[in-house]
Amino acid sequence: MQAALRRGLARSRRGPGAVPAPPRPRCLGPGCPPAPRCWSCGRGLPGAEPGPRFCPGCRALQPPPPRPDLFRLLQCDRAFRVDTDLLRRRFRSLQRALHPDRFGRRPPEEQRYSEQHSSLINKAYQTLLHPLSRGLYLLEVNGVEPAQETDCDADSEFLMEIMEINEKLAEPKNEATLEEIETLIKVKQEELTKAVAAAFEQDDLQEAKKLLAKMKYFANLEDKLKNKKIPY
């Protein structure tokens, strides 16, 4: 009876036809951060979205998060194997939507956020497009530190192979030799890429770490080869 009276008094204070206030969101733990709000109109923003966010009220572009997941940003599965054609299409679509030229008449804050998003999307695309940088980033998001050069010291056969290629690159320029080295590097990188994919799929992060360290060596050789082929 008393509970019914309290409910009746509460309704009478609100007045006829009053709509009850929505329940406040509860913090689920100590130090729970406040819900994100639009910088422009102050409206509450929905939960995390895979890409750049626009306010559902005023449609203002929101700032990028401090540490975004690059896979999530480009709507890719967090995996070593990616569909590069699909990756390229998503990159171009996002760049068209967020290019600073489209925000020339928007407030300065939104122009700045557009530039930040555009830069971030470029970084995400370049990181996920190439097997080496994609693999190293995948290690990072899984909490694994990349290998150091000394981690390959135990593999004397591999280091000997790298040393021999370096010696050939140090010789006077010879087109036939450079083509031979280029083919060798390409074959080795393809073999290592397949091995890294298998290691990630088996959730063997330490093996992936070792293989990516070897890929780094061949990437360095590839850079030396390109510099060698530049005409004087």
Side-chain angles (χ1 to χ4, degrees), residues 167-225:
E167 288 173 354
K168 287 183 180 180
L169 284 171
E171 293 173 0
K173 188 173 180 179
N174 181 293
E175 291 298 334
T177 302
L178 293 181
E179 287 183 11
E180 178 186 337
I181 294 172
E182 185 174 21
T183 301
L184 174 63
I185 291 173
K186 183 179 179 181
V187 169
K188 291 292 185 180
Q189 289 285 51
E190 288 175 352
E191 290 175 353
L192 285 167
T193 299
K194 290 178 181 177
V196 171
F200 275 118
E201 286 168 1
Q202 294 165 13
D203 204 26
D204 190 344
L205 299 182
Q206 291 305 314
E207 179 64 14
K209 174 178 174 178
K210 293 176 186 176
L211 293 166
L212 286 165
K214 292 183 177 182
M215 285 185 75
K216 272 188 183 180
Y217 274 97
F218 279 106
N220 290 335
L221 290 174
E222 194 171 18
D223 288 340
K224 290 180 182 179
L225 176 64

